[in-house]
């Protein structure tokens, strides 16, 4: 059974920081790239960042230099460190894995950036 469980969302002021966590099933954690996506109200889900099993990373242009994705192999957990957040970062954040042929998603965690 594949499970992705996000946590760490909440309300944060503009310019502040937040760290999201995604706990991943042990049976897939070591083998696949893990992604973070976000979906703002009324908009499509978009890729935020990804990290491969070997630790290579990629980011959306909108978050480069502000967000950092990392993984803790001992805890089967992927993190998204969000710094210098902006109101436009407000969204539900989802953890994702493509373990062909299926896509797996977590339940999402709400991030609201507001003063």
């Amino acid at each position: 059974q594949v499970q992705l469980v996000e946590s760490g969302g909440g309300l944060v002021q503009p310019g502040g920081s937040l760290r999201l966590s995604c706990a991943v099933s042990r049976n897939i954690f070591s083998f696949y790239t893990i992604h973070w996506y976000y979906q703002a109200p009324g908009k499509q889900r978009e890729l935020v960042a990804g990290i491969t099993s070997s630790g290579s990373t990629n980011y959306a242009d909108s978050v480069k230099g502000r967000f950092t994705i990392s993984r803790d192999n001992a805890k089967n957990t992927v993190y998204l460190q969000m710094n210098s957040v902006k109101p436009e970062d407000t969204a539900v954040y989802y953890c994702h894995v493509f373990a062909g042929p299926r896509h797996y998603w977590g339940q999402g965690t709400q991030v609201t950036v507001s003063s």
Side-chain angles (χ1 to χ4, degrees):
Q1 179 111 11
V2 176
Q3 288 189 322
L4 305 168
V5 181
E6 302 97 334
S7 61
L11 175 64
V12 59
Q13 292 187 343
S17 297
L18 205 61
R19 189 177 80 160
L20 306 183
S21 300
C22 174
V24 182
S25 302
R26 186 178 305 171
N27 59 326
I28 66 167
F29 182 80
S30 299
F31 304 107
Y32 296 101
T33 297
I34 312 293
H35 301 101
W36 283 100
Y37 281 76
Y38 61 12
Q39 186 167 21
K43 296 189 176 181
Q44 290 189 331
R45 199 168 294 188
E46 297 182 10
L47 179 66
V48 177
I51 186 165
T52 69
S53 57
S54 60
S56 297
T57 60
N58 67 286
Y59 297 93
D61 288 343
S62 60
V63 306
K64 280 181 182 177
R66 300 189 298 121
F67 291 9
T68 302
I69 189 170
S70 62
R71 61 194 297 154
D72 184 333
N73 293 333
K75 296 182 178 180
N76 295 333
T77 300
V78 172
Y79 302 100
L80 184 69
Q81 179 66 45
M82 307 169 61
N83 296 331
S84 302
V85 296
K86 304 175 182 180
E88 52 262 43
D89 296 325
T90 295
V92 178
Y93 285 72
Y94 296 93
C95 199
H96 166 267
V97 170
F98 174 62
R102 292 191 58 184
H103 292 269
Y104 297 93
W105 296 91
Q107 83 286 353
T109 187
Q110 175 71 47
V111 172
T112 302
V113 182
S114 175
S115 55

